[in-house]
Amino acid sequence: MLWVDWSYFGEGPLREPFFDDEVQNCLRRPFNRLFRYATPITRLPDCLKANRHLQPDGFIFHMSRCGSTLVSQMLGGLPGSIVVSEAGPIDTVVNARGVCSDLSEDDHALWLRWMIGTFGQARRGDEQLFIVKLDSWHTRNLALFRRAFPDVPWIFLYRDPVEVMVSHLRRPGMQMVPALVGAEHLGLNPSDAWQAPAMYCAQVLARICEPVSRLEALDGGLLINYRQLPTAVLTSIMPHFGIAADNNARAVLSKIASRDAKIPGLAFADDSVAKQHEASTHVRDLARTWLDSHYRQLEANRLGAATVCGVSNHTLNGRAIADMADL
């Protein structure tokens, strides 16, 4: 059985790039330092009945280091929004069958609906939009999310594999540290964790992309390449999630897009060229061996879907902030 720890967040919106940062801020409050409240996960339905909550309007899946934080920060800046980014409790529920071996697939989906519903609680009263950004390795559990939320649209963000690898080799993400995210959660063998960092990184990214690249039908999904950002937030992602934007919202989006998503105090600076220059021949060879086929398939599926929808892919000019003037 899983237990849920509760903390008092007050009525303020979630503003940190990642949910765990929100938790750390919350735990500094005297009330949360003095009192602890925990319930078994099976009590969540009672909580949901007693408190108004939103159903998710969209899920953000991603390759990692590909603009997903930018997207979540932009959507989180819209009035009345709840945007939960990479929340640890969701990851715990996703991996629950590794702890609760007798948990059926249907009950697993039910637990996931309960947990995500809890994050959608209306704490201020004006909430009308609820988006969940997931951890990158949750693509391995796409079927679970579709079982739990068959009608909720989702997107998958991805980027040139060479640039993603360089980012992780500069500063490894959790999924690149086997002690933090076990290889088994990524579809790898424990022995794979002993490989050289660049090799392990390439295999992890391949495992993340594989479930999406091999889909015969996206079934409510939308593929977004990093090069399409930030323009695609307004032109593609928001319509896909059923979100309309007025002029005030456009101004908010433009302002957020001009800042660094993970360090909002800094201005955005595109580092794609620098990462391409930094990539060694070895990194390029690994990307070609493990990731090229997935990237090419994702691009083919994205361009094919856009053609079917009548969208010209040549109008997307990358992540130039100047493009935001057209929003």
Side-chain angles (χ1 to χ4, degrees):
M1 177 63 67
L2 298 183
W3 285 73
V4 181
D5 283 312
W6 299 84
S7 294
Y8 179 67
F9 271 60
E11 297 181 356
L14 303 178
R15 285 289 181 256
E16 295 291 341
F18 300 98
F19 181 75
D20 285 352
D21 295 328
E22 297 280 0
V23 172
Q24 291 303 313
N25 292 339
C26 181
L27 292 178
R28 295 189 184 100
R29 297 181 178 181
F31 179 87
N32 291 323
R33 293 169 67 91
L34 289 172
F35 300 97
R36 180 187 176 190
Y37 182 62
T39 62
I41 194 170
T42 50
R43 291 290 304 276
L44 289 185
D46 297 331
C47 169
L48 296 175
K49 288 179 182 178
N51 299 278
R52 186 177 78 85
H53 65 283
L54 306 181
Q55 291 298 316
D57 293 284
F59 292 123
I60 300 173
F61 292 90
H62 56 98
M63 181 181 182
S64 78
R65 309 293 172 86
C66 59
S68 60
T69 303
L70 168 70
V71 173
S72 64
Q73 288 284 286
M74 290 178 72
L75 296 178
L78 296 173
S81 65
I82 303 173
V83 178
V84 177
S85 179
E86 301 188 16
I90 294 177
D91 187 43
T92 299
V93 171
V94 166
N95 296 324
R97 296 189 76 186
V99 179
C100 308
S101 58
D102 59 343
L103 186 66
S104 69
E105 290 186 352
D106 288 342
D107 284 342
H108 196 188
L110 191 60
W111 283 18
L112 185 61
R113 284 200 296 272
W114 292 344
M115 179 55 70
I116 288 180
T118 302
F119 279 107
Q121 289 183 89
R123 294 179 291 110
R124 303 188 306 274
D126 66 341
E127 294 90 344
Q128 54 187 339
L129 169 66
F130 178 31
I131 303 295
V132 181
K133 176 194 168 190
L134 302 162
D135 285 297
S136 60
W137 57 91
H138 287 166
T139 57
R140 305 289 306 171
N141 307 96
L142 182 58
L144 169 63
F145 282 89
R146 300 308 295 154
R147 186 182 303 115
F149 299 95
D151 300 321
V152 175
W154 56 278
I155 65 172
F156 178 70
L157 289 151
Y158 61 100
R159 185 177 183 176
D160 185 314
V162 169
E163 295 168 16
V164 179
M165 285 191 64
V166 168
S167 178
H168 279 293
L169 292 174
R170 285 179 179 174
R171 182 171 56 85
M174 288 180 59
Q175 63 273 56
M176 303 305 169
V177 182
L180 298 178
V181 179
E184 65 276 10
H185 296 313
L186 299 161
L188 297 170
N189 295 319
S191 59
D192 293 327
W194 295 98
Q195 298 180 97
M199 173 68 82
Y200 188 70
C201 176
Q203 292 191 27
V204 167
L205 293 175
R207 294 293 187 174
I208 288 170
C209 292
E210 180 182 34
V212 182
S213 69
R214 294 190 175 178
L215 287 177
E216 294 184 1
L218 290 178
D219 186 26
L222 177 70
L223 301 177
I224 299 291
N225 191 308
Y226 173 83
R227 297 194 307 270
Q228 297 174 259
L229 299 176
T231 309
V233 174
L234 183 71
T235 61
S236 300
I237 296 173
M238 288 174 62
H240 186 65
F241 288 162
I243 307 169
D246 57 19
N247 289 335
N248 289 335
R250 291 167 185 262
V252 169
L253 295 177
S254 180
K255 182 177 180 180
I256 295 173
S258 70
R259 313 306 300 174
D260 186 288
K262 292 184 173 66
I263 311 175
L266 300 179
F268 167 76
D270 192 345
D271 61 356
S272 296
V273 173
K275 286 176 176 174
Q276 289 289 343
H277 283 309
E278 184 177 332
S280 65
T281 300
H282 180 55
V283 167
R284 292 185 181 279
D285 288 343
L286 288 173
R288 187 178 303 111
T289 299
W290 291 96
L291 291 157
D292 190 60
S293 62
H294 296 303
Y295 183 77
R296 289 178 181 274
Q297 188 61 56
L298 288 167
E299 283 289 85
N301 291 346
R302 176 178 67 86
L303 297 176
T307 300
V308 169
C309 295
V311 177
S312 170
N313 299 286
H314 302 290
T315 62
L316 302 171
N317 300 316
R319 201 186 187 288
I321 296 303
D323 293 344
M324 294 300 293
D326 297 327
L327 295 184

